[in-house]
Structure formats: structure tokens, C-alpha cells
Amino acid sequence: MTDQMTAQKEQASAWFRTLRDEIVAAFEALEDSQVDGPFSAEPAGRFEVTETTRQSDDGSDAGGGLMSVMRGGRVFEKVGVNVSTVYGTLGKPAQQAMAARGVPGIEEDPRFWASGISLVAHMQNPHSPAVHMNTRMFWTPGAWWFGGGSDLNPCIEYDEDTAHFHDVQKQHLDPHGEALYPELKAWADEYFYVPHRGRARGVGGIFMDDRNTGDWAADFALTQDIGRAFLPAFLPITEKRRDTPWDEADRDTQLVHRGLYAEYNLVYDRGTKFGLATGHDANAVLMSLPPLAKWV
């Protein structure tokens, strides 16, 4: 590994941590600003921060990160913002999965390094949509790439919220090429589709994986703008919907939709499968699951 790649990995890892800090601060400020609604008398939510670790098969240290989770807040019923940097050697199933995706040389030299941020928010108000966001960098001796995106998951849909979320994504992607937003939107529509239910888990967003154009700086800049788009895309929707009156029928709709979300993450999500298969902290990997859900 070259000194340049070492510096680039450190730069990417530091950026993911910076983005994490900005989002955590913004979410706690949102909790502080909540003064109306059925949960306004509750104490403002705060993140509980736990260090996570990953151990290799021989028990040696293989990196880790921070798991930040807020439960039972005024606005957020459960939200997690995780950041990690892990490394080591991929096991056979992970090697085979990477080789099937076209990663060169992974079965001959299965060393890897990965860093990223992952966020999932489940809201108190059924009219306020759940949301997911992640960005990451992955390295093996044969290749490096970036991935990530964000998608909105309302149980009660509002067309203007969907339009706002997508418009902000487009604004942040257009400087990297106007063909990029339609491409990543279509990718998200395909990736977040739930085949056994015959529907998407939400109203989409943007998604990319295996991003390596050969220009590391350009691909990293794109990844940063995907991260920068998140707060302006999501916060205005939450601020608008958090005080909307709701009843038990709305809550029931929310819990059933969360069941769909849980099904997707446990059956199809690539990040969940990778995290569990490579020995990362299971609580951090499964942070995305909602606090309550139901099935009809």
C-alpha cells in the first residue's frame, strides 16, 4: 500500500467522523427545539455513545468505531449514527461475494480496510418519515471504491416531502455531472426494492456502490456531497411533520411499515450481511432495526 493511499484512507475516515459529529449535533438540537406535541414534556433526547470493536479470527484487534444511539426522544423514537474503521482478512464467504462483484484478486489476497458512517432514524410521529443514510470507502490490495446514499421511508407519504428530499439530492449531485442523479436514483429504486413484497421499502433516494472512476479525489468529493446533502434534505421535512396530529390508526400504519423495513434489512441489505459476516459488533450492525414493529 502506497503512502498516498494511506493518507487517502485517513482523510476518508476523518471525514466520516466529522459528518457523524455534525449530524449528532443537529439531531440533538432538533430534540431541544421540540416544544409541542405529545412527547414535548419528555426530556430532550441525547445520544448514548459506545465504542465498538471488531476482532479478527485469531482474536487480535481489527478496528472499531463509535455507536451513537438515541432512544425515546421527543422527535426520535430511535436513531443510530454509527461510524467505524475496520480492517483484517475477509473470510471465505465474504471473499466469494466480493469476487462475484468483480473485485480483482480478493481470493488470492483477502486483506481489506473499510471505513464509513451509517445512520437510521425511526421517528415518534407517524407523519414524520424514517430515513437511512450511509457513505463508505472500501479498500483491498486489488481495488478501492466508495459507496453509499440516502433514502426516505415514510409510512404516510406526502408528495411534497418526497419532492424536497429528491430535489436536494439532485442539487448536490449535479455539480458532479447532470447524468449522475438519474443514475443513482434508479440504482436506489432497484436496490431498496423488496422482492417478496413486490414494492419498494420507501420513496427512494440515491444509491451507489463500487464507485471507482480511477480518480480518487473526484470520487471522494462525490461521496462527501452525498453526505452533505443529508441534513438539508431531511431536517426541513422533520421540522414540518413532527407536530402533525396523529391517532392510533396512524401508529398502526407506522408499525406495519417498520415491519417492512425490518424485513428488508435482515433479508437483503448488503451492509447488514457484510457486518455480521466479518465479525463487527452485532449491536452496531443491527442498530438499523426499529424499536417496535408489527406484522399483519
Side-chain angles (χ1 to χ4, degrees):
M1 182 169 53
T2 66
D3 290 341
Q4 181 184 31
M5 179 52 65
T6 298
Q8 289 170 338
K9 287 161 65 175
E10 291 174 352
Q11 185 180 356
S13 180
W15 159 252
F16 299 135
R17 175 58 188 266
T18 296
L19 182 60
R20 174 262 176 208
D21 293 347
E22 291 176 355
I23 292 172
V24 165
F27 281 3
E28 290 189 343
L30 191 65
E31 283 282 311
D32 290 337
S33 69
Q34 175 68 32
V35 294
D36 297 314
F39 296 95
S40 59
E42 300 296 325
R46 288 293 179 269
F47 282 93
E48 298 177 6
V49 181
T50 306
E51 290 189 5
T52 63
T53 59
R54 176 184 178 273
Q55 290 188 330
S56 61
D57 292 339
D58 63 7
S60 61
D61 176 66
L66 291 178
M67 177 174 65
S68 304
V69 181
M70 181 196 304
R71 298 177 177 88
R74 297 173 178 176
V75 179
F76 299 95
E77 188 171 357
K78 178 186 176 185
V79 54
V81 187
N82 291 350
V83 65
S84 64
T85 298
V86 296
Y87 46 85
T89 301
L90 293 173
K92 279 295 181 182
Q95 292 176 37
Q96 293 167 357
M98 292 289 178
R101 287 166 54 187
V103 178
I106 191 65
E107 293 181 289
E108 291 76 23
D109 188 344
R111 290 176 295 155
F112 82 99
W113 176 98
S115 184
I117 177 175
S118 181
L119 174 157
V120 176
H122 298 287
M123 316 305 290
Q124 292 282 12
N125 193 316
H127 294 271
S128 187
V131 72
H132 157 260
M133 185 277 293
N134 77 81
T135 58
R136 58 191 176 274
M137 176 186 165
F138 201 93
W139 171 92
T140 71
W144 56 261
W145 68 88
F146 290 96
S150 60
D151 63 295
L152 199 66
N153 296 270
C155 65
I156 300 171
E157 296 182 17
Y158 292 91
D159 290 343
E160 61 267 35
D161 294 354
T162 301
H164 169 81
F165 191 81
H166 281 273
D167 286 347
V168 174
Q169 309 292 336
K170 185 176 186 302
Q171 292 166 16
H172 282 75
L173 293 188
D174 278 354
H176 302 274
E178 293 188 0
L180 198 55
Y181 167 75
E183 175 188 345
L184 299 195
K185 178 185 181 300
W187 201 338
D189 290 341
E190 178 181 357
Y191 184 75
F192 295 113
Y193 186 76
V194 187
H196 67 270
R197 295 294 186 185
R199 57 158 294 179
R201 77 174 190 186
V203 295
I206 55 174
F207 180 78
M208 68 176 187
D209 212 352
D210 303 333
R211 178 78 179 184
N212 181 339
T213 65
D215 187 336
W216 186 91
D219 293 344
F220 180 45
L222 169 61
T223 304
Q224 288 176 295
D225 277 340
I226 289 174
R228 291 188 183 106
F230 173 72
L231 286 175
F234 177 65
L235 287 185
I237 296 172
T238 303
E239 290 168 343
K240 179 168 58 176
R241 300 297 174 194
R242 63 186 180 182
D243 294 328
T244 301
W246 55 273
D247 57 23
E248 287 305 310
D250 295 330
R251 176 64 167 170
D252 190 71
T253 298
Q254 181 188 51
L255 294 180
V256 171
H257 189 269
R258 285 179 177 177
L260 176 72
Y261 194 96
E263 289 176 9
Y264 176 87
N265 278 33
L266 292 173
V267 176
Y268 301 110
D269 186 73
R270 185 182 294 173
T272 301
K273 292 180 178 179
F274 178 83
L276 294 176
T278 56
H280 197 53
D281 186 293
N283 289 328
V285 175
L286 298 175
M287 170 273 296
S288 61
L289 296 180
L292 293 171
K294 69 179 294 184
W295 285 263
V296 295

